[in-house]
């Protein structure tokens, strides 16, 4: 079973240029899965929280394309908060990690690259069911 220690920041290529910097992602690198979907979260009102669930199978890569926000990761035993604020790095999150996004700055844009097409069946939205699924013994606060 994955833990918060299996999440990691991955640096993306950055082509600095006086006309404006450029960053890119290719199939299979450096994002460690084949991307089947991308979506983005934006116009988040101050104080709002997104997410608050785990995915049974889906892996994701989260990038702060603009502004900043925090990704709060929880594996049922440990909690880890990762602040994202660069458009040339991102956070890899494997499946079966409970996570939510918070502390969005004004005008921030969160891009999420996902390993699977959208499926409501892949979500675990109940924290108790998540804990049951991972058979965690040392529960911690969401
Ligand atoms: P959801 O992932 O539940 O967002 P959050 O966890 O932040 O509340 O998605 C919100 C809604 O958007 C939900 O009704 C499903 C829909 N949705 C899609 O149709 N396709 C997608 O790729 C995503 C991510 C969400």
């Amino acid at each position: 079973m994955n833990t918060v220690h299996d999440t990691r920041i991955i640096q993306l290529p950055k082509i600095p240029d006086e006309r404006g910097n450029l960053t890119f992602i290719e199939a299979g690198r450096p994002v460690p899965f084949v991307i089947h979907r991308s979506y983005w979260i934006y116009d988040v009102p101050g104080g709002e929280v997104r997410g608050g669930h785990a995915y049974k199978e889906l892996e994701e890569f989260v990038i702060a394309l603009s502004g900043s926000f925090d990704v709060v990761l929880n594996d049922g035993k440990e909690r880890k908060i990762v602040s994202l604020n660069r458009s040339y790095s991102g956070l890899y999150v494997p499946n079966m990690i409970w996570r939510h996004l918070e502390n969005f700055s004004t005008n921030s844009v969160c891009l999420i690259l996902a390993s699977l097409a959208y499926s409501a069946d892949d979500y675990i939205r109940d924290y108790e069911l998540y804990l049951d699924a991972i058979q965690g013994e040392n529960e911690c606060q969401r």
Side-chain angles (χ1 to χ4, degrees), residues 59-82:
E59 301 164 79
E60 64 183 353
F61 189 73
V62 185
I63 307 167
L65 275 190
S66 183
S68 63
F69 53 85
D70 295 336
V71 185
V72 182
L73 305 155
N74 179 356
D75 59 20
K77 291 182 178 173
E78 285 185 67
R79 201 165 180 265
K80 176 176 160 184
I81 301 178
V82 179

mmCIF file of all heavy atoms in Angstrom, residues 59-82:
data_model
loop_
_atom_site.group_PDB
_atom_site.id
_atom_site.type_symbol
_atom_site.label_atom_id
_atom_site.label_comp_id
_atom_site.label_asym_id
_atom_site.label_seq_id
_atom_site.Cartn_x
_atom_site.Cartn_y
_atom_site.Cartn_z
ATOM 1 N N GLU A 59 -3.397 7.482 -10.503
ATOM 2 C CA GLU A 59 -2.213 8.244 -10.100
ATOM 3 C C GLU A 59 -2.362 9.648 -10.682
ATOM 4 O O GLU A 59 -2.980 9.822 -11.739
ATOM 5 C CB GLU A 59 -0.938 7.616 -10.668
ATOM 6 C CG GLU A 59 -0.682 6.197 -10.257
ATOM 7 C CD GLU A 59 0.367 5.556 -11.163
ATOM 8 O OE1 GLU A 59 1.565 5.816 -10.962
ATOM 9 O OE2 GLU A 59 -0.029 4.816 -12.075
ATOM 10 N N GLU A 60 -1.769 10.628 -10.009
ATOM 11 C CA GLU A 60 -1.905 11.990 -10.505
ATOM 12 C C GLU A 60 -0.624 12.779 -10.311
ATOM 13 O O GLU A 60 0.236 12.423 -9.499
ATOM 14 C CB GLU A 60 -3.092 12.694 -9.828
ATOM 15 C CG GLU A 60 -2.931 12.871 -8.351
ATOM 16 C CD GLU A 60 -4.144 13.492 -7.673
ATOM 17 O OE1 GLU A 60 -5.094 13.917 -8.356
ATOM 18 O OE2 GLU A 60 -4.126 13.553 -6.433
ATOM 19 N N PHE A 61 -0.545 13.866 -11.083
ATOM 20 C CA PHE A 61 0.587 14.781 -10.998
ATOM 21 C C PHE A 61 0.007 16.184 -10.932
ATOM 22 O O PHE A 61 -0.763 16.587 -11.808
ATOM 23 C CB PHE A 61 1.487 14.606 -12.224
ATOM 24 C CG PHE A 61 2.780 15.348 -12.133
ATOM 25 C CD1 PHE A 61 3.798 14.919 -11.285
ATOM 26 C CD2 PHE A 61 2.999 16.476 -12.904
ATOM 27 C CE1 PHE A 61 5.003 15.605 -11.208
ATOM 28 C CE2 PHE A 61 4.203 17.171 -12.832
ATOM 29 C CZ PHE A 61 5.209 16.726 -11.985
ATOM 30 N N VAL A 62 0.339 16.908 -9.870
ATOM 31 C CA VAL A 62 -0.306 18.184 -9.555
ATOM 32 C C VAL A 62 0.703 19.315 -9.739
ATOM 33 O O VAL A 62 1.807 19.262 -9.187
ATOM 34 C CB VAL A 62 -0.827 18.178 -8.102
ATOM 35 C CG1 VAL A 62 -1.608 19.454 -7.806
ATOM 36 C CG2 VAL A 62 -1.666 16.939 -7.814
ATOM 37 N N ILE A 63 0.320 20.321 -10.510
ATOM 38 C CA ILE A 63 1.214 21.447 -10.795
ATOM 39 C C ILE A 63 0.490 22.756 -10.469
ATOM 40 O O ILE A 63 -0.674 22.929 -10.833
ATOM 41 C CB ILE A 63 1.614 21.481 -12.291
ATOM 42 C CG1 ILE A 63 2.191 20.138 -12.735
ATOM 43 C CG2 ILE A 63 2.624 22.597 -12.553
ATOM 44 C CD1 ILE A 63 2.317 20.016 -14.259
ATOM 45 N N ALA A 64 1.211 23.665 -9.800
ATOM 46 C CA ALA A 64 0.694 25.028 -9.619
ATOM 47 C C ALA A 64 1.119 25.828 -10.845
ATOM 48 O O ALA A 64 2.229 26.363 -10.886
ATOM 49 C CB ALA A 64 1.240 25.641 -8.339
ATOM 50 N N LEU A 65 0.266 25.878 -11.845
ATOM 51 C CA LEU A 65 0.619 26.615 -13.064
ATOM 52 C C LEU A 65 0.744 28.100 -12.779
ATOM 53 O O LEU A 65 1.521 28.799 -13.403
ATOM 54 C CB LEU A 65 -0.446 26.401 -14.141
ATOM 55 C CG LEU A 65 -0.334 25.165 -15.007
ATOM 56 C CD1 LEU A 65 -1.316 25.262 -16.164
ATOM 57 C CD2 LEU A 65 1.076 24.954 -15.520
ATOM 58 N N SER A 66 -0.042 28.561 -11.822
ATOM 59 C CA SER A 66 0.008 29.953 -11.420
ATOM 60 C C SER A 66 -0.349 30.030 -9.944
ATOM 61 O O SER A 66 -1.158 29.236 -9.459
ATOM 62 C CB SER A 66 -0.984 30.767 -12.258
ATOM 63 O OG SER A 66 -0.902 32.135 -11.919
ATOM 64 N N GLY A 67 0.263 30.972 -9.229
ATOM 65 C CA GLY A 67 -0.060 31.141 -7.822
ATOM 66 C C GLY A 67 0.435 29.991 -6.976
ATOM 67 O O GLY A 67 1.413 29.312 -7.321
ATOM 68 N N SER A 68 -0.257 29.723 -5.887
ATOM 69 C CA SER A 68 0.193 28.709 -4.936
ATOM 70 C C SER A 68 -0.999 28.083 -4.216
ATOM 71 O O SER A 68 -2.082 28.658 -4.146
ATOM 72 C CB SER A 68 1.137 29.338 -3.906
ATOM 73 O OG SER A 68 0.443 30.320 -3.150
ATOM 74 N N PHE A 69 -0.763 26.883 -3.704
ATOM 75 C CA PHE A 69 -1.735 26.179 -2.870
ATOM 76 C C PHE A 69 -1.008 25.045 -2.171
ATOM 77 O O PHE A 69 0.152 24.748 -2.502
ATOM 78 C CB PHE A 69 -2.925 25.656 -3.705
ATOM 79 C CG PHE A 69 -2.522 24.827 -4.882
ATOM 80 C CD1 PHE A 69 -2.262 23.474 -4.762
ATOM 81 C CD2 PHE A 69 -2.370 25.411 -6.135
ATOM 82 C CE1 PHE A 69 -1.872 22.723 -5.851
ATOM 83 C CE2 PHE A 69 -1.969 24.664 -7.231
ATOM 84 C CZ PHE A 69 -1.724 23.316 -7.092
ATOM 85 N N ASP A 70 -1.665 24.445 -1.197
ATOM 86 C CA ASP A 70 -1.088 23.328 -0.455
ATOM 87 C C ASP A 70 -1.827 22.040 -0.795
ATOM 88 O O ASP A 70 -3.059 22.029 -0.903
ATOM 89 C CB ASP A 70 -1.200 23.562 1.054
ATOM 90 C CG ASP A 70 -0.389 24.756 1.521
ATOM 91 O OD1 ASP A 70 0.584 25.130 0.829
ATOM 92 O OD2 ASP A 70 -0.733 25.314 2.580
ATOM 93 N N VAL A 71 -1.066 20.962 -0.953
ATOM 94 C CA VAL A 71 -1.649 19.630 -1.101
ATOM 95 C C VAL A 71 -1.440 18.908 0.232
ATOM 96 O O VAL A 71 -0.304 18.735 0.679
ATOM 97 C CB VAL A 71 -0.976 18.836 -2.242
ATOM 98 C CG1 VAL A 71 -1.701 17.504 -2.452
ATOM 99 C CG2 VAL A 71 -0.950 19.650 -3.531
ATOM 100 N N VAL A 72 -2.533 18.530 0.865
ATOM 101 C CA VAL A 72 -2.463 17.844 2.151
ATOM 102 C C VAL A 72 -2.661 16.348 1.899
ATOM 103 O O VAL A 72 -3.712 15.919 1.402
ATOM 104 C CB VAL A 72 -3.523 18.383 3.126
ATOM 105 C CG1 VAL A 72 -3.401 17.689 4.482
ATOM 106 C CG2 VAL A 72 -3.378 19.894 3.283
ATOM 107 N N LEU A 73 -1.620 15.577 2.222
ATOM 108 C CA LEU A 73 -1.583 14.140 1.936
ATOM 109 C C LEU A 73 -1.695 13.370 3.236
ATOM 110 O O LEU A 73 -1.114 13.753 4.257
ATOM 111 C CB LEU A 73 -0.262 13.795 1.247
ATOM 112 C CG LEU A 73 0.034 14.594 -0.021
ATOM 113 C CD1 LEU A 73 1.533 14.656 -0.278
ATOM 114 C CD2 LEU A 73 -0.698 13.981 -1.207
ATOM 115 N N ASN A 74 -2.404 12.255 3.188
ATOM 116 C CA ASN A 74 -2.625 11.469 4.399
ATOM 117 C C ASN A 74 -2.746 9.999 3.985
ATOM 118 O O ASN A 74 -3.510 9.681 3.056
ATOM 119 C CB ASN A 74 -3.924 11.979 5.040
ATOM 120 C CG ASN A 74 -4.302 11.240 6.301
ATOM 121 O OD1 ASN A 74 -3.647 10.274 6.695
ATOM 122 N ND2 ASN A 74 -5.380 11.669 6.937
ATOM 123 N N ASP A 75 -1.962 9.145 4.620
ATOM 124 C CA ASP A 75 -2.039 7.716 4.284
ATOM 125 C C ASP A 75 -2.686 6.898 5.405
ATOM 126 O O ASP A 75 -2.573 5.676 5.442
ATOM 127 C CB ASP A 75 -0.662 7.158 3.932
ATOM 128 C CG ASP A 75 0.342 7.304 5.072
ATOM 129 O OD1 ASP A 75 -0.086 7.480 6.236
ATOM 130 O OD2 ASP A 75 1.555 7.227 4.808
ATOM 131 N N GLY A 76 -3.340 7.620 6.330
ATOM 132 C CA GLY A 76 -3.985 6.932 7.445
ATOM 133 C C GLY A 76 -3.089 6.826 8.665
ATOM 134 O O GLY A 76 -3.571 6.596 9.775
ATOM 135 N N LYS A 77 -1.793 6.988 8.437
ATOM 136 C CA LYS A 77 -0.839 6.958 9.553
ATOM 137 C C LYS A 77 -0.078 8.269 9.654
ATOM 138 O O LYS A 77 0.142 8.785 10.735
ATOM 139 C CB LYS A 77 0.164 5.811 9.381
ATOM 140 C CG LYS A 77 -0.466 4.447 9.547
ATOM 141 C CD LYS A 77 0.557 3.343 9.433
ATOM 142 C CE LYS A 77 -0.112 1.994 9.648
ATOM 143 N NZ LYS A 77 0.803 0.870 9.381
ATOM 144 N N GLU A 78 0.311 8.789 8.502
ATOM 145 C CA GLU A 78 1.085 10.018 8.498
ATOM 146 C C GLU A 78 0.433 11.043 7.593
ATOM 147 O O GLU A 78 -0.253 10.693 6.627
ATOM 148 C CB GLU A 78 2.512 9.766 7.979
ATOM 149 C CG GLU A 78 3.395 9.060 8.971
ATOM 150 C CD GLU A 78 4.819 8.959 8.440
ATOM 151 O OE1 GLU A 78 5.486 10.005 8.309
ATOM 152 O OE2 GLU A 78 5.246 7.831 8.155
ATOM 153 N N ARG A 79 0.702 12.303 7.912
ATOM 154 C CA ARG A 79 0.174 13.428 7.159
ATOM 155 C C ARG A 79 1.350 14.233 6.646
ATOM 156 O O ARG A 79 2.352 14.399 7.359
ATOM 157 C CB ARG A 79 -0.666 14.259 8.125
ATOM 158 C CG ARG A 79 -1.692 15.162 7.540
ATOM 159 C CD ARG A 79 -2.624 15.581 8.677
ATOM 160 N NE ARG A 79 -3.671 16.468 8.202
ATOM 161 C CZ ARG A 79 -3.605 17.781 8.258
ATOM 162 N NH1 ARG A 79 -2.546 18.364 8.789
ATOM 163 N NH2 ARG A 79 -4.616 18.520 7.822
ATOM 164 N N LYS A 80 1.232 14.744 5.446
ATOM 165 C CA LYS A 80 2.318 15.534 4.849
ATOM 166 C C LYS A 80 1.679 16.665 4.062
ATOM 167 O O LYS A 80 0.699 16.436 3.337
ATOM 168 C CB LYS A 80 3.127 14.611 3.930
ATOM 169 C CG LYS A 80 4.249 15.240 3.132
ATOM 170 C CD LYS A 80 4.989 14.135 2.355
ATOM 171 C CE LYS A 80 5.789 14.641 1.204
ATOM 172 N NZ LYS A 80 6.403 13.551 0.418
ATOM 173 N N ILE A 81 2.201 17.857 4.228
ATOM 174 C CA ILE A 81 1.688 19.008 3.484
ATOM 175 C C ILE A 81 2.758 19.477 2.507
ATOM 176 O O ILE A 81 3.903 19.720 2.915
ATOM 177 C CB ILE A 81 1.286 20.160 4.425
ATOM 178 C CG1 ILE A 81 0.214 19.683 5.403
ATOM 179 C CG2 ILE A 81 0.797 21.360 3.629
ATOM 180 C CD1 ILE A 81 -0.221 20.743 6.411
ATOM 181 N N VAL A 82 2.395 19.560 1.252
ATOM 182 C CA VAL A 82 3.328 20.012 0.216
ATOM 183 C C VAL A 82 2.786 21.306 -0.380
ATOM 184 O O VAL A 82 1.658 21.330 -0.882
ATOM 185 C CB VAL A 82 3.496 18.947 -0.887
ATOM 186 C CG1 VAL A 82 4.451 19.448 -1.972
ATOM 187 C CG2 VAL A 82 4.000 17.632 -0.300
#
